[in-house]
Amino acid sequence: GDGDGDHLEYISSKVASKRDMEDMKLMVHLHFSSKESLVREVKRVLDLLDLVTPDVSANMPCVTLPPILSRGYNPNAQDVFEEGVNAALECFQQSSSSSSAMKKVVLARRADLYFGTQLKGLDVLKTLKFGGSVGHLFYMNPGRGAGKEFFGCTPERLFQVKGDEKVVISEALAGTRPRGSTSEDDAELLSELIHSKKDKEENIITGDFIRNVFNVLVEQDMLEMKARANSGEESQGTFFVRRLRHLQHICQSFEGRIKTESRVADVIRYLMEMLHPTPAVCGYPWKQSIEFIRQYEGKSFDRGFYSGPFGFLGSNTADIIVAIRSALLTRNLDYSSEVDNFLQSKVSVYAGAGIVQGSTAQGEWSETGYKLGVLYSLFAQSPLTLKSFQTPNEAWATAFVEELIRSGVTQFYICPGSRSTPLTTALARAQRAHVGIIDCISTHDERGAAFRALGYSRGARRPAAVVTSSGTAVGNLYPAVIEASMDGIPLLLLTADRPYENRDTGANQAIDQLKIFSDTYVRWFRDIAAPSDNIPITLALSDANHAVRVAKDLLGPVHLNVQFRENLAPEAGPIRGDSRVGSLTSFSTNRFTDVAGFQRWSGKGFKWTEAYYSTGPNVDLAVYDIGSLIKRSRRGIIVVGNIRNNPMSFDALSTAAIISDFAETIGFPLFVGAQSAHLRFSSVAVIPYADHILKNPYLKGAIQPDLIFQIGTHLVSNEMQGLISQTMKSTPGVAHVLLHTERPAERVDSIGTITHHIDSPVEAFIPRLTSFLQMTSGFSKYIQGSDLCSLILLGRHLSERMPSIIHESSRTVATQATRVWEKHHESLKYNLTEPQIILAMSETLSDLKGYRLNLFLSNSMPVRDAEFFLYPRYEKPSTVIRPNLSTVVVNRGASGIDGIISSAIGVCEALSTPTTLLIGDLACIHDLNSFHNLAKQSSRYHSSKKPLSLSTIIVNNDGGAIFSFLPIAKHGNDVNFEDFFGTPTKSFSFGKGVEAFGLAYSTASDYETFKELYKGIIESDDPSVLEAKVVNRDQNVQVHTAITRATNECLDNVGLFEEYDAAILNRKINLPIKFYKRGVCHGAIKRTKSLILLHGWMGDKTEWDESAQILINNLSDEWNVISIDLPGHGDSPLLVSEQDFMRGMMTTESELSPSLEDVATIVLKSIQDISEIEKVDAIAGYSLGGRLAMAMMKSAISTESKLLARDRKII
């Protein structure tokens, strides 16, 4: 009601569904003020309906509801409530003789539940629907995009009018008891409720109120009452008990028949006006009750939507429920405390109790507690930390089972057995924790259990699990496994097994269970080692998640064979059956769970990884989910690893262009690995020398991304993997998204951090995601899509200095480099270092004009040095790119060094373009005979074929240089390091070996010679070999160490670690502009109309050159066409100093991030200073430029600027 209590309002739902006989009706309610607004609303609804798919949702509750992290109540909740109860009882006592005195009042309270994730109200509703709750479901999103949702499952209907049958139904629901934990307790509580004078009185008051309302309609000859049989309900006289899952209520029902069909609408209006609020939610009489509620309950909180009427009203039909058992969800909580920043959602749960004569403050408080518990019970009561567990079996099995449930497995068939005790125990506990969500069925026969699970999976279209002990119990599953495999039915086989030490020893009940069902019938098999804190929880969660995914994706059985050691029961102490000294259970929960991702899994209730597939509606869900993550991100990054080839890809450069455009569109910087180094040469969004930045301890700790979008896997960079692991461990709210095309049953999450996995080609997914982001509202009010864009500037700063750093470090170390080559034992001094080889190749590639080649990198040192040093030469302006590197290939599947030359020859044959192979001396010896095939291809006997243009660079460091970087190197002669790890190659002459095959050979031992020779061989069409003789392995380590030290000094000298002035510099900036005219570009030309062109995140004004010329040639002579360098791009200065801009990366605050409004103002001021422009008639922009154009229009309107024409166009 409103302030004076004389007017009642009701809430009408937007959408309702109603089942009539065999038909389901969907009703959409539209609110409109004119014909035009009606048309718009109808069109919007029809557009939404077009998105509805015929796919049927699984009949199961949401299994990823998060745990409750903390609780709260309305202020002074219990004191206020008890004060109100006592005041009501005193009021009843004082005015018991007055007929108009208050006889009942309902007092409510609120409990707040806090969560660490963006909870969705519809997920809670789904759990209510499929989790065993009985009642009327309702949901409302008050205010589109307001971050609030109101929902619940009420047992109380206010009234229903069935117009076709002319039937009116209402009910009085009041008087409550909880359900019992046993059948005896339940029966006792039922009896207590039925015989409670106080609860009956409470219900009688409500029932008499409804009866009186109906009687008025009877007196007006609009309605006739009908005695209603309460069949199927527990009855006691005129009352019956409505028994729900958690509670049981006294109830009365009322039914009448409308006499005249023409009066149906009048009856609906009258009931809506007179029935709400009933004494069940307000009290009696209602005016006195409302005043009492305002006086006492209003001290602490506002009910909001709680207990309001909710439903739909039609011309001849209506169904209105009472919104009790309800909650208000609030997302995007705003906290100033860093401790509270982890809390992202709040669910305010409401409950009330009717106060009448005979009530007690404690009794009514307890009743509200029972009612709050209905929604409480949907959530885990605290994060699953596992800290209370004392044995590894107990902790592992609990986490494993929980992840199965979160992944959608809710039906378990358990066969008796000792070895499977940990799984059975965990499932028994999970069933109590997830009441109504999972079902565990004991089945004595394994063969029958497997077929029951098969039948359930077939019917439910999702996998059920069967649990067995070890031995012949496993063999009994085989018939059902064959059937499931042959008919494509997802099925999960969880078999317990004896540990490694019992296998093949004659131990009891220890058969060979490894791949017992063969790969023919099982989609994926996993032999899981016995639980231990030596194996992190990551594997348990990942195994469970992946198993369910494979079973559903590949439609068939998945077999997880789990080894368990004693103690099998959940008890610590002496190890059963082990009499050795010190045989006690040893387990550290902290060590077991101290991994990246566990806090997120524990505190947010998500499954370990959310998987999306390349086809079906799942792709749209992936676009929405990932797009939402990007829009919320402030410090996002894109990481590019090895991108698999797929039929959709034209070539590597086209894929690189898609990634580059995507990065520029959303304003995220690119960390690009060596396997995709061609992207380094073709995108201005790449962070140059990223690994060196990550090697700086302070910078690595300060980057703190809030979203990691990874494209491709098998990252070479240990620094990047370390950043990802560190971030996911320290900041549970960060998402790690992987876009990667997988082979069937493949799992690519070696460090256990991936939260979202999209199995789709880049060419299919990225354009759809980009379109979604461009169609929706702006990502952020800040000029940068990501605050970490400043890393690009930092990388360019380092890029200018990197050549001198490499040369100086090499010179310092190489002055003492003396090695002996060939048989004549001539001592030579080699000045060339391995980083210099990559630098020379980079500079040569950067200098190529109209020439492209491929690069094949051998494993071991070549790919690692490329990871660190293979970047194009830095040039100004920073948008200059040299797409001279077509593709980079690495055999990174198993990362071996065998067959490298043969693989490179095959790549060269496939691509038919010049290719460079960079290979180490050991890897070359492994595959040396492949030079024979290369020479044969180019010999005179095969003159009809074009010679393969493969240029091979052999990095001769006299053995396995990679081992010198490993800890074993310091043990030297104690482990015969040189013989067994260093494996010197000095006894072999590569020159004579290559010449023996008839290939061109050259050698270099200094930088200038190497660079000159390399340039010569790549310009030649013939295959050739260049041997690079470098400093020895120990000195190679020294060079790398010196380079790292020098880059850290370079970064320190930028001044990133000093205090900074956060204020944006208040100075006038004249942005560089460019005028276009037909034919050629030149200075200013005065014309009457102006078109302004604005570039994207990483571009500059020159990017418009081609398009601008087309525009100016097609527009009339009255048009100016002008492009502008936005602040910090091209020739334009930054809004803050360069150091401050880069320092902005060091903080998660936004003081140094200029807003779109700031930049819009500066652009408008710069345009005003151009004498040739009187007004702007059109603005065209893409990415950042498009959003900036909208901000310029908004700024011009707010400042009443006359610069923008009234009929301006924004493109």
Side-chain angles (χ1 to χ4, degrees):
D2 64 0
D4 59 17
D6 293 329
H7 177 69
L8 295 174
E9 297 180 345
Y10 62 90
I11 302 163
S12 177
S13 59
K14 285 259 185 184
V15 180
S17 62
K18 181 177 177 62
R19 186 182 296 277
D20 288 334
M21 301 299 288
E22 297 301 320
D23 297 327
M24 177 70 80
K25 294 180 180 178
L26 177 69
M27 288 156 282
V28 181
H29 297 259
L30 304 179
H31 300 266
F32 58 93
S33 57
S34 64
K35 181 179 178 181
E36 290 75 15
S37 63
L38 173 61
V39 171
R40 284 197 303 269
E41 284 294 299
V42 169
K43 184 179 184 304
R44 189 173 68 85
V45 170
L46 292 175
D47 288 343
L48 289 173
L49 290 175
D50 282 340
L51 299 177
V52 177
T53 70
D55 299 291
V56 180
S57 300
N59 290 333
M60 60 175 292
C62 177
V63 291
T64 56
L65 291 183
I68 302 168
L69 297 186
S70 64
R71 296 171 175 80
Y73 301 92
N74 49 282
N76 305 312
Q78 189 163 2
D79 291 342
V80 170
F81 187 86
E82 291 183 355
E83 179 187 358
V85 173
N86 292 329
L89 294 174
E90 184 177 344
C91 181
F92 298 152
Q93 188 70 30
Q94 292 175 354
S95 57
S96 58
S97 59
S98 172
S99 60
S100 62
M102 187 172 70
K103 295 179 174 58
K104 175 182 178 181
V105 66
V106 178
L107 293 177
R109 65 184 176 105
R110 186 190 78 226
D112 296 326
L113 310 179
Y114 293 90
F115 303 90
T117 184
Q118 296 286 332
L119 183 64
K120 298 176 182 177
L122 291 177
D123 284 343
V124 183
L125 213 64
K126 189 176 181 182
T127 298
L128 286 166
K129 177 175 175 62
F130 298 114
S133 296
V134 178
H136 309 282
L137 295 170
F138 58 93
Y139 171 88
M140 180 172 67
N141 189 339
R144 199 179 306 167
K148 292 183 183 292
E149 297 171 74
F150 183 68
F151 57 84
C153 182
T154 176
E156 183 174 3
R157 170 178 271 136
L158 186 63
F159 71 90
Q160 182 183 25
V161 176
K162 301 178 180 179
D164 295 339
E165 303 172 29
K166 296 187 288 186
V167 172
V168 180
I169 298 171
S170 185
E171 59 192 19
L173 185 140
T176 304
R177 287 293 185 280
R179 296 298 299 268
S181 57
T182 64
S183 57
E184 293 81 6
D185 290 343
D186 204 33
E188 184 178 340
L189 287 165
L190 173 63
S191 177
E192 180 183 314
L193 176 63
I194 291 173
H195 295 95
S196 168
K197 181 179 178 181
K198 176 260 176 185
D199 288 290
K200 266 189 182 176
E201 176 64 20
E202 189 180 339
N203 190 276
I204 287 171
I205 292 173
T206 304
D208 288 348
F209 171 81
I210 295 172
R211 188 177 291 109
N212 291 336
V213 172
F214 274 47
N215 285 339
V216 172
L217 292 172
V218 171
E219 291 170 3
Q220 295 179 3
D221 203 31
M222 299 169 67
L223 192 72
E224 59 181 2
M225 296 299 294
K226 176 183 177 183
R228 185 174 184 184
N230 301 304
S231 59
E233 306 278 2
E234 300 283 351
S235 298
Q236 178 68 29
T238 60
F239 300 96
F240 66 92
V241 176
R242 176 160 291 159
R243 309 192 76 182
L244 308 173
R245 179 173 153 191
H246 298 92
L247 302 172
Q248 43 196 339
H249 303 283
I250 297 177
C251 203
Q252 296 183 70
S253 63
F254 304 88
E255 182 174 336
R257 180 173 293 276
I258 302 172
K259 288 188 172 183
T260 307
E261 186 174 349
S262 61
R263 305 300 299 274
V264 172
D266 294 333
V267 171
I268 291 173
R269 278 194 294 270
Y270 179 80
L271 292 177
M272 188 68 249
E273 181 179 354
M274 300 305 298
L275 278 183
H276 180 75
T278 70
V281 296
C282 176
Y284 184 80
W286 70 269
K287 285 190 177 182
Q288 290 91 321
S289 301
I290 284 179
E291 289 303 322
F292 186 91
I293 291 170
R294 285 178 178 147
Q295 182 179 354
Y296 288 96
E297 185 184 291
K299 296 178 182 179
S300 184
F301 82 110
D302 184 344
R303 291 191 183 190
F305 301 119
Y306 167 68
S307 75
F310 195 99
F312 65 89
L313 301 173
S315 60
N316 70 339
T317 184
D319 200 350
I320 303 295
I321 60 176
V322 182
I324 60 174
R325 309 292 182 273
S326 56
L328 179 68
L329 166 63
T330 305
R331 291 192 298 273
N332 303 317
L333 302 180
D334 185 17
Y335 290 109
S336 57
S337 166
E338 290 186 8
V339 176
D340 290 332
N341 272 338
F342 187 58
L343 304 177
Q344 298 184 33
S345 301
K346 176 178 73 172
V347 173
S348 297
V349 186
Y350 301 90
I355 318 300
V356 296
Q357 287 275 17
S359 295
T360 64
Q362 186 57 48
E364 303 304 336
W365 177 265
S366 297
E367 181 178 321
T368 58
Y370 304 147
K371 294 174 179 177
L372 291 172
V374 173
L375 290 178
Y376 267 31
S377 66
L378 301 177
F379 306 97
Q381 298 305 294
S382 62
L384 187 60
T385 63
L386 307 178
K387 291 193 180 298
S388 62
F389 298 132
Q390 296 180 303
T391 70
N393 288 340
E394 188 180 16
W396 182 93
T398 300
F400 179 81
V401 165
E402 175 67 21
E403 179 57 27
L404 288 179
I405 296 168
R406 294 185 186 184
S407 298
V409 181
T410 59
Q411 190 79 2
F412 297 86
Y413 297 92
I414 302 173
C415 303
S418 174
R419 190 58 54 174
S420 54
T421 295
L423 282 171
T424 303
T425 303
L427 284 167
R429 290 172 171 171
Q431 190 173 27
R432 291 195 296 271
H434 298 278
V435 177
I437 292 180
I438 73 167
D439 194 10
C440 299
I441 299 172
S442 177
T443 309
H444 71 279
D445 169 42
E446 287 83 4
R447 182 177 176 275
F451 274 105
R452 283 185 72 176
L454 169 70
Y456 180 90
S457 301
R458 187 188 294 276
R461 299 188 301 170
R462 52 192 171 91
V466 57
V467 179
T468 76
S469 185
S470 60
T472 56
V474 180
N476 280 280
L477 305 178
Y478 217 147
V481 169
I482 294 173
E483 175 63 23
S485 178
M486 298 296 288
D487 208 15
I489 307 299
L491 186 64
L492 223 55
L493 314 169
L494 309 179
T495 62
D497 199 358
R498 299 289 171 127
Y500 165 80
E501 59 269 20
N502 292 146
R503 294 176 174 177
D504 294 325
T505 62
N508 184 45
Q509 207 172 334
I511 69 170
D512 184 2
Q513 297 177 196
L514 301 184
K515 297 196 173 184
I516 190 172
F517 305 120
S518 85
D519 290 336
T520 303
Y521 298 113
V522 172
R523 303 297 187 262
W524 185 57
F525 170 81
R526 175 79 160 167
D527 186 38
I528 299 175
S532 161
D533 56 19
N534 288 323
I535 304 174
I537 193 174
T538 302
L539 272 299
L541 303 176
S542 182
D543 284 343
N545 181 278
H546 188 64
V548 178
R549 180 185 172 199
V550 171
K552 292 193 294 187
D553 192 22
L554 299 185
L555 298 177
V558 167
H559 181 196
L560 300 179
N561 189 63
V562 190
Q563 304 173 43
F564 287 115
R565 291 191 175 94
E566 294 282 2
N567 291 331
L568 299 174
E571 55 190 28
I575 297 175
R576 183 170 176 261
D578 191 341
S579 59
R580 295 176 298 160
V581 174
S583 293
L584 296 171
T585 303
S586 176
F587 177 66
S588 169
T589 305
N590 288 336
R591 183 165 185 255
F592 184 54
T593 60
D594 186 26
V595 293
F598 177 71
Q599 284 190 57
R600 174 189 62 85
W601 182 84
S602 171
K604 291 182 177 292
F606 295 150
K607 56 184 175 182
W608 185 246
T609 301
E610 187 68 53
Y612 307 89
Y613 308 102
S614 56
T615 58
N618 196 265
V619 175
D620 295 325
L621 179 61
V623 168
Y624 177 81
D625 286 350
I626 307 307
S628 299
L629 289 173
I630 290 172
K631 289 195 288 183
R632 288 199 300 267
S633 172
R634 283 275 310 281
R635 298 173 69 83
I637 61 173
I638 299 173
V639 180
V640 183
N642 181 46
I643 302 173
R644 284 183 174 156
N645 294 331
N646 69 86
M648 293 186 63
S649 175
F650 179 71
D651 58 25
L653 283 179
S654 65
T655 303
I658 292 172
I659 296 172
S660 181
D661 289 345
F662 175 63
E664 293 189 49
T665 298
I666 66 174
F668 278 23
L670 284 168
F671 288 82
V672 178
Q675 303 120 298
S676 297
H678 50 282
L679 183 56
R680 296 177 177 179
F681 284 74
S682 60
S683 175
V684 296
V686 172
I687 303 170
Y689 296 98
D691 264 54
H692 295 275
I693 294 174
L694 295 181
K695 269 185 169 292
N696 186 293
Y698 192 91
L699 279 172
K700 189 173 185 177
I703 289 175
Q704 298 178 20
D706 60 10
L707 173 61
I708 301 165
F709 189 104
Q710 181 179 334
I711 303 173
T713 58
H714 295 107
L715 300 178
V716 174
S717 171
N718 289 330
E719 303 303 327
M720 175 49 65
Q721 293 185 71
L723 174 68
I724 293 172
S725 182
Q726 169 188 302
T727 300
M728 301 300 293
K729 185 175 180 180
S730 62
T731 315
V734 174
H736 179 191
V737 178
L738 173 65
L739 174 62
H740 180 62
T741 305
E742 289 188 336
R743 65 177 186 272
E746 182 184 18
R747 177 168 44 167
V748 282
D749 189 13
S750 60
I751 58 177
T753 56
I754 294 169
T755 61
H756 301 73
H757 176 238
I758 304 108
D759 180 7
S760 174
V762 170
E763 297 81 0
F765 184 76
I766 291 295
R768 293 184 68 170
L769 179 58
T770 304
S771 298
F772 169 80
L773 291 169
Q774 289 174 332
M775 286 189 296
T776 53
S777 58
F779 318 135
S780 167
K781 70 178 181 179
Y782 296 100
I783 190 65
Q784 293 167 234
S786 169
D787 289 347
L788 297 179
C789 278
S790 52
L791 286 170
I792 299 173
L793 189 61
L794 190 62
R796 291 171 184 170
H797 174 83
L798 189 58
S799 185
E800 290 182 88
R801 294 155 182 78
M802 186 56 75
S804 61
I805 289 175
I806 292 175
H807 288 314
E808 184 59 36
S809 299
S810 298
R811 254 192 314 270
T812 301
V813 173
T815 50
Q816 301 175 3
T818 303
R819 294 180 54 191
V820 177
W821 295 95
E822 311 292 353
K823 292 182 179 179
H824 50 73
H825 300 297
E826 179 184 354
S827 294
L828 295 174
K829 188 174 183 180
Y830 301 111
N831 298 319
L832 185 61
T833 65
E834 294 178 44
Q836 283 182 316
I837 290 175
I838 305 296
L839 177 64
M841 293 174 67
S842 299
E843 292 183 343
T844 302
L845 288 170
S846 300
D847 292 339
L848 291 176
K849 294 182 179 179
Y851 195 86
R852 290 183 179 179
L853 55 78
N854 314 303
L855 177 61
F856 196 110
L857 297 172
S858 175
N859 285 304
S860 196
M861 285 305 297
V863 70
R864 285 173 171 80
D865 279 336
E867 184 74 22
F868 276 101
F869 303 109
L870 187 62
Y871 287 91
R873 187 209 310 270
Y874 178 76
E875 297 183 47
K876 288 188 177 181
S878 57
T879 53
V880 172
I881 56 175
R882 303 289 189 194
N884 301 323
L885 190 57
S886 294
T887 188
V888 177
V889 183
V890 192
N891 278 358
R892 208 62 191 167
S895 302
I897 62 169
D898 46 344
I900 299 297
I901 299 174
S902 296
S903 297
I905 293 171
V907 168
C908 192
E909 287 175 319
L911 300 179
S912 301
T913 51
T915 303
T916 293
L917 166 64
L918 183 64
I919 188 172
D921 48 356
L922 274 180
C924 184
I925 290 175
H926 262 280
D927 199 26
L928 192 67
N929 63 325
S930 293
F931 280 139
H932 169 68
N933 294 324
L934 178 62
K936 185 179 178 182
Q937 174 78 16
S938 307
S939 69
R940 59 186 177 89
Y941 300 107
H942 294 80
S943 57
S944 61
K945 293 186 178 181
K946 181 182 178 181
L948 292 177
S949 183
L950 177 65
S951 305
T952 302
I953 300 172
I954 303 173
V955 181
N956 191 340
N957 50 33
D958 192 22
I962 188 69
F963 296 106
S964 297
F965 289 85
L966 302 179
I968 192 63
K970 65 183 179 183
H971 294 276
N973 292 332
D974 288 344
V975 294
N976 282 355
F977 178 82
E978 273 298 298
D979 287 342
F980 298 144
F981 296 94
T983 54
T985 60
K986 60 186 178 184
S987 61
F988 181 79
S989 170
F990 286 99
K992 292 182 178 180
V994 170
E995 289 173 350
F997 292 117
L999 295 174
Y1001 169 82
S1002 56
T1003 182
S1005 58
D1006 64 82
Y1007 176 79
E1008 295 299 336
T1009 302
F1010 174 82
K1011 185 175 179 181
E1012 182 180 351
L1013 289 173
Y1014 177 59
K1015 182 179 179 182
I1017 64 173
I1018 63 175
E1019 291 176 349
S1020 170
D1021 287 335
D1022 296 325
S1024 57
V1025 177
L1026 170 58
E1027 180 183 5
K1029 298 180 179 181
V1030 296
V1031 297
N1032 66 44
R1033 285 178 267 114
D1034 289 339
Q1035 290 165 327
N1036 184 42
V1037 174
Q1038 295 172 30
V1039 169
H1040 283 80
T1041 302
I1043 291 172
T1044 298
R1045 184 168 53 247
T1047 54
N1048 280 335
E1049 290 174 0
C1050 176
L1051 294 172
D1052 292 345
N1053 291 334
V1054 175
L1056 294 177
F1057 316 118
E1058 303 168 0
E1059 294 296 322
Y1060 61 87
D1061 178 10
I1064 293 176
L1065 298 182
N1066 186 18
R1067 57 192 176 92
K1068 183 176 180 180
I1069 299 177
N1070 290 319
L1071 299 177
I1073 64 170
K1074 187 172 187 178
F1075 281 85
Y1076 297 89
K1077 79 162 195 174
R1078 285 188 175 88
V1080 296
C1081 301
H1082 76 133
I1085 300 175
K1086 188 172 182 178
R1087 290 181 174 133
T1088 58
K1089 290 187 176 182
S1090 296
L1091 165 63
I1092 306 297
L1093 305 176
L1094 303 176
H1095 59 75
W1097 293 105
M1098 286 88 176
D1100 67 4
K1101 62 180 182 296
T1102 61
E1103 292 199 348
W1104 282 102
D1105 285 356
E1106 184 176 347
S1107 299
Q1109 284 302 144
I1110 296 173
L1111 286 168
I1112 199 67
N1113 289 332
N1114 285 276
L1115 291 172
S1116 61
D1117 291 338
E1118 61 183 341
W1119 280 92
N1120 284 311
V1121 177
I1122 303 156
S1123 62
I1124 298 178
D1125 275 337
L1126 299 177
H1129 298 259
D1131 298 321
S1132 173
L1134 291 161
L1135 293 184
V1136 295
S1137 68
E1138 183 172 301
Q1139 284 76 15
D1140 278 353
F1141 183 70
M1142 289 187 284
R1143 285 191 204 113
M1145 176 198 66
M1146 309 302 296
T1147 175
T1148 56
E1149 302 300 325
S1150 60
E1151 298 95 342
L1152 294 178
S1153 298
S1155 68
L1156 282 170
E1157 289 74 18
D1158 294 330
V1159 179
T1161 300
I1162 289 172
V1163 173
L1164 288 170
K1165 287 181 178 178
S1166 293
I1167 295 173
Q1168 283 177 335
D1169 291 339
I1170 303 173
S1171 59
E1172 292 85 353
I1173 298 178
E1174 297 178 0
K1175 66 180 186 303
V1176 174
D1177 298 271
I1179 306 174
Y1182 68 92
S1183 183
L1184 168 63
R1187 290 162 58 189
L1188 186 59
M1190 301 300 294
M1192 289 169 62
M1193 182 174 69
K1194 182 179 177 182
S1195 176
I1197 293 173
S1198 62
T1199 59
E1200 298 183 355
S1201 172
K1202 296 181 181 179
L1203 179 62
L1204 299 188
R1206 288 189 177 184
D1207 57 348
R1208 61 193 170 274
K1209 300 289 189 286
I1210 304 294
I1211 304 172

